[in-house]
Each structure stands twice: as C-alpha cells, then as structure tokens.
Amino acid sequence: MTATTTAPPLESGSVDVVRLMTDIAEKVSGPAADEVDRLGRFPSETIDALRADGLLWALVPREFGGLGATLSEVSEGLVALGRQCASSAMVVAMHHIQVACLVRHGTNDLLRSYLAEAVEHQYLLASATTEVGTGGDVRSSVCAVDVEGGTFRLEKQAPVISYGNFADGILVTARRSEDSPENDQVIVLCRPPDLELEQVGEWNALGFRGTCSPGFVLRASGDADAVLDQPYGDISTQTMLPIAHILWGSLWLGIATAALDRARRFVQAEARKRPGTTPAAALRLADVSALHQQFSDLVRGSVRRYEEIEGDGERLSAIGFAIGMNSLKVSASTLVVDVVRQCMVICGLSAYRLDGPYSLGRHLRDSMGAALMVNNDRIMGNNAQLLLVHRGE
Amino acid sequence: MDQEIRQVLAEHGRLAVDVSSLDENTDLFAAGMTSHASVNVMLALEDAFDIEFAESMLKKSTFESIASIRAGVLEMTDA
C-alpha cells in the first residue's frame, strides 16, 4: 500500500505535492519521530524540509505565488506524514488550516500582500482560538480587539498555542470590539515584531508531544487591516472547521495506517515460520483491515465532499454539511484508537514493548489525543442541536 | 407578526440588548444571538406560526434580522 495511489491526476508542469510530502515524511520525519516524541521537541527538520520545497504554502493559488495544490493533495501528504510522525503531521495540518483561512478569507490588500510575502518566506502559522474563561468553547471570546486610529491592540490568555514558540505568525480570535457580545468574533493575523508571547507552563503530554503546546499570554498590535473582514463564525463554518476535521482525520488515518503496517508485517512474519498454517492473528488482521478501509473511505470521501462545494459559501454553510463534517471528526478520532488498539492485540507484547519493530506505544498515545482536541462530546452536542432542525439529505 | 417575532426573540434569542430597542434590520448575531440560540428561535418560530422552514432557508441569513425572519416566515406561510 502506498499513500500516493489515490492522488488525483496532476496537470502537466505542476509540482507533485503528494510525492514531495511523502518523501519528506519517509526520509526526514520518520527517522526523527521517536526522538521528537521522547524529548517532546519541535520537529524542526520536517518543517525545514517542507519549507525548502515551498510546501508550507502549497494551498495558495499560483496567481499568488503558491503551488495551487488541492485539499486532497495536502490530505494525502498528511496521511504520509501521520504514518511516520504524528507530531510533525499535526503541526503541518494546523498550519495548513490557517493557510486555507487566509487564502479564502484574507481578501483585503494588506492580507493579500501578506500572502505573497508568506509564500516567499514560507512562514509557519499557528492558531490561538481557545481562551482561559470560555470553558473550551472556541465560538466565544473574552478578549476583544481594540481599534484606534487604524491600529489594533489585543491581549489574550491562551491555555494552548501549539508550536507558539516556533511560529512566524498567529491567527487569533477575539471579540470584534470591547462592546461586542462574546460570540461576535473576528480573527486577526498577529505577527512579529508586534507580537509578544509570554509562556505559561510547559507542554508535557501523553501524545503529540512534538507539537510543543504550552499556554501563553499573547499581546499583539498592528495595522487594523490585519483583522479579517468576515465574521469568525462564517470563516469557522465554511473553512476552518471542515478543513480542520479533514486534515486532522488525514493524519489520524496515517497513524492507523502505520499501526496496520506493523500488524500486517507481524502476521506475515508468523506465517513465514509455518507455511501452510494460517496464523491465528490473521483473522483479526482481516477484521482490522476492514475497519481501516472504513476509515480511509470516510476521510477520502469527506475531502471529495468538501472539494465539490469549495467556493460555494452557501452550501458550505448548510446544516447537513456541518453535521457531516462534525461526524467526520468524531468517527475518525474513534476509528484511529480502535485500529491501533486492535493492531496492538495482533502484535501482542511486541506492540506493548517500547522498542522493537512492532512497538505501538507512540501510536496509541498519539491516537488518544484525537477525541480530546475539541472534545467529541462538545461536537456531538453541537450535532444534537443541529439535528433538531435538519431536514435530511 | 413583528410582535410575535419579537416575543420569540425575547424568550429564546438570548440577546445582549432589549428586543424592543432593536431596529428591524439590526444584525441579531452581532447583538449577541449565538448559533445555539438561533436554533431555539427557529424552533419557536415554527411553533408560533405553525410552519416548517424549508431546507434552503436553514441558514444564518434567514435569521440575521427581524426583517429577514419576517420574509422567511411569510415565504413559508404563503407556500
């Protein structure tokens, strides 16, 4: 199985984003993955390699200097990265979510010229959506943007900013003004030298250790045009949320694929020892392969579903689409744990060990984070609400 | 009709301001109505006017002001 088999046909002369990302995953991210996990260090080699190939801003249309990559290409690249190093893949996924928001919604002159600059320098973008005091609800803010004389000012207590210390810019949510209610939010591009981060605490977590995600007090100022024109609610519904769920689902699929690779090699090694006798675990391998196929088809089907209506704000805002993209996140984050756990049963103690070719400790720890980053219960609660008014497909 | 719409908004809109102070074109989301509250507003409107909004009308713009809600309700009652 290769990650490139479902890549769409490329136009002549275009850059093969999937192949380049897969190469970097296998040659750069994979060899460093255990150390990144053990030390909880930032996977700088992966980011440097993607940067060198212009892949960090691959989603930017060619007219603005990008590679004009499709979402399915980036999704396939993230499956390949997630298969090698989930921390690297999560950083890259979160960055691409921000890029997608800027490409689609950063339409004023300042943000358009930023896009060209960002492509040239291959900036790494982070996000600060959660806030102390909102109980994990990213659709409400405590902090507010203070605009005066064409300059904005903003201070936010962020319990988590993934790779905040390594980012060249951060997209930050806040109330539109001091007088705005908590859900009237905007999103602001904050960047050095007018961006100050004061770290609060450390990031020492069970998984995704290389994302380096401590809390920060964020202080920023700058040109008021760095505030995106559209309300955050619309940007979230049409772009940030569906793309986040698709790209997270892609890298989680990569984790599951890595576990399945190990389980398959384990069963095949058993089979070689006794040709003619099907190993007992082979039946379980057949079972988990079917589960993995469901997972793979879910992610790839969701990418297609998005691409079919990409650019149609009305259809992207439909209730049925929102329910579908929420369900994707919940299903994918459940499937990744199920697949890894079953693969662990197949490989037995060889998977339980922290060393050796069949170890699945890192994969299991990383997979457990999927249901927690934007808690599945919150997402299901949103769907429960939406289903009260949904009319069906 | 506007009175009934305002009544529904007062009971379910969870607005940051007094409903009677709203102009019919005031952006209700900017006035503090959350997407969660807008679902309750919609359900209460369906009950109050004995209608069912069509799938195509289930979007933010239908519920963004008293005027847009009125247009939506009229469309469904005329249908």
Side-chain angles (χ1 to χ4, degrees):
Chain A
M1 182 190 290
T2 68
T4 54
T5 47
T6 53
L10 296 161
E11 298 163 34
S12 63
S14 69
V15 176
D16 190 342
V17 169
V18 182
R19 190 182 57 74
L20 287 173
M21 285 181 78
T22 305
D23 276 357
I24 290 169
E26 290 172 356
K27 291 174 186 149
V28 180
S29 316
D34 282 327
E35 187 190 293
V36 164
D37 175 61
R38 193 173 64 251
L39 302 180
R41 72 156 174 84
F42 183 70
S44 49
E45 55 275 86
T46 297
I47 303 306
D48 290 346
L50 293 168
R51 194 172 257 151
D53 283 343
L55 292 165
L56 284 183
W57 291 76
L59 282 173
V60 175
R62 289 186 199 185
E63 57 185 298
F64 299 110
L67 301 177
T70 61
L71 189 65
S72 41
E73 288 176 290
V74 171
S75 162
E76 290 301 333
L78 283 169
V79 175
L81 265 177
R83 205 165 164 177
Q84 300 293 336
C85 175
S87 285
S88 297
M90 184 54 81
V91 172
V92 176
M94 289 197 275
H95 163 80
H96 275 108
I97 297 160
Q98 316 314 311
V99 171
C101 289
L102 277 185
V103 167
R104 198 175 142 75
H105 305 282
T107 45
N108 68 30
D109 290 347
L110 180 136
L111 292 170
R112 275 293 177 246
S113 71
Y114 175 79
L115 207 55
E117 182 189 331
V119 171
E120 188 191 337
H121 297 282
Q122 291 287 301
Y123 292 146
L124 181 68
L125 278 191
S127 145
T129 50
T130 52
E131 186 171 14
V132 175
T134 58
D137 178 14
V138 297
R139 292 293 296 273
S140 69
S141 288
V142 177
C143 68
V145 180
D146 178 21
V147 179
E148 206 181 304
T151 302
F152 83 85
R153 203 164 287 283
L154 171 64
E155 176 169 334
K156 182 166 188 166
Q157 320 281 327
V160 174
I161 300 180
S162 290
Y163 55 95
N165 283 325
F166 303 90
D168 302 303
I170 304 182
L171 286 182
V172 185
T173 50
R175 287 182 297 130
R176 181 178 297 280
S177 71
E178 287 293 348
D179 305 326
S180 304
E182 60 183 15
N183 66 306
D184 185 16
Q185 295 166 286
V186 290
I187 191 157
V188 190
L189 172 66
C190 301
R191 48 184 308 212
D194 303 318
L195 167 64
E196 184 198 324
L197 291 176
E198 182 190 321
Q199 187 172 329
V200 182
E202 298 294 325
W203 173 252
N204 185 13
L206 188 65
F208 290 113
R209 294 173 52 78
T211 60
C212 301
S213 309
F216 292 93
V217 179
L218 177 153
R219 294 181 194 89
S221 60
D223 192 316
D225 279 349
V227 181
L228 275 68
D229 296 331
Q230 277 175 287
Y232 173 62
D234 294 349
I235 295 174
S236 169
T237 301
Q238 296 174 19
T239 307
M240 189 177 270
L241 189 141
I243 294 212
H245 293 182
I246 284 169
L247 296 186
W248 292 345
S250 305
L251 78 97
W252 297 336
L253 175 62
I255 298 173
T257 306
L260 185 63
D261 288 342
R262 290 178 189 209
R264 191 177 47 245
R265 282 203 303 273
F266 182 86
V267 171
Q268 289 174 356
E270 290 286 295
R272 280 182 208 115
K273 286 179 203 156
R274 286 181 213 83
T277 312
T278 306
L283 196 60
R284 201 175 268 278
L285 180 65
D287 214 31
V288 73
S289 295
L291 197 62
H292 180 273
Q293 184 180 327
Q294 283 179 27
F295 191 0
S296 170
D297 289 352
L298 168 70
V299 170
R300 285 158 176 145
S302 299
V303 176
R304 272 198 300 280
R305 190 169 170 184
Y306 183 87
E307 286 183 331
E308 273 165 18
I309 58 172
E310 193 173 23
D312 185 342
E314 193 95 317
R315 291 176 73 192
L316 290 169
S317 304
I319 288 176
F321 181 70
I323 292 171
M325 289 297 127
N326 282 340
S327 298
L328 159 68
K329 194 273 173 181
V330 173
S331 299
S333 60
T334 308
L335 281 163
V336 64
V337 179
D338 289 349
V339 169
V340 174
R341 195 174 48 77
Q342 290 209 37
C343 290
M344 190 168 252
V345 176
I346 290 170
C347 301
L349 286 175
S350 300
Y352 195 67
R353 300 173 59 124
L354 289 176
D355 52 8
Y358 304 113
S359 173
L360 287 174
R362 171 162 58 85
H363 304 80
L364 186 68
R365 286 185 290 102
D366 286 337
S367 71
M368 296 300 292
L372 311 179
M373 43 182 301
V374 188
N375 198 297
N376 279 3
D377 283 353
R378 178 181 295 281
I379 294 179
M380 275 306 186
N382 290 344
N383 265 6
Q385 261 266 320
L386 291 171
L387 281 160
L388 296 179
V389 297
H390 185 42
R391 306 294 185 228
E393 295 307 325
Chain B
M1 176 179 285
D2 280 16
Q3 209 42 51
E4 282 172 282
I5 293 172
R6 283 176 189 272
Q7 182 68 28
V8 165
L9 285 170
E11 284 174 25
H12 303 284
R14 300 178 63 186
L15 300 171
V17 294
D18 189 342
V19 173
S20 60
S21 72
L22 294 176
D23 180 84
E24 67 166 30
N25 292 313
T26 304
D27 185 332
L28 298 172
F29 293 99
M33 185 166 72
T34 62
S35 52
H36 181 94
S38 72
V39 168
N40 293 331
V41 165
M42 182 197 139
L43 291 169
L45 287 167
E46 291 190 335
D47 187 53
F49 295 103
D50 194 22
I51 53 170
E52 187 173 284
F53 286 104
E55 173 81 30
S56 59
M57 299 174 71
L58 301 183
K59 56 196 178 194
K60 201 176 159 187
S61 57
T62 307
F63 302 95
E64 72 187 356
S65 70
I66 290 171
S68 66
I69 289 174
R70 185 178 57 228
V73 170
L74 282 174
E75 194 176 328
M76 295 323 296
T77 45
D78 290 350

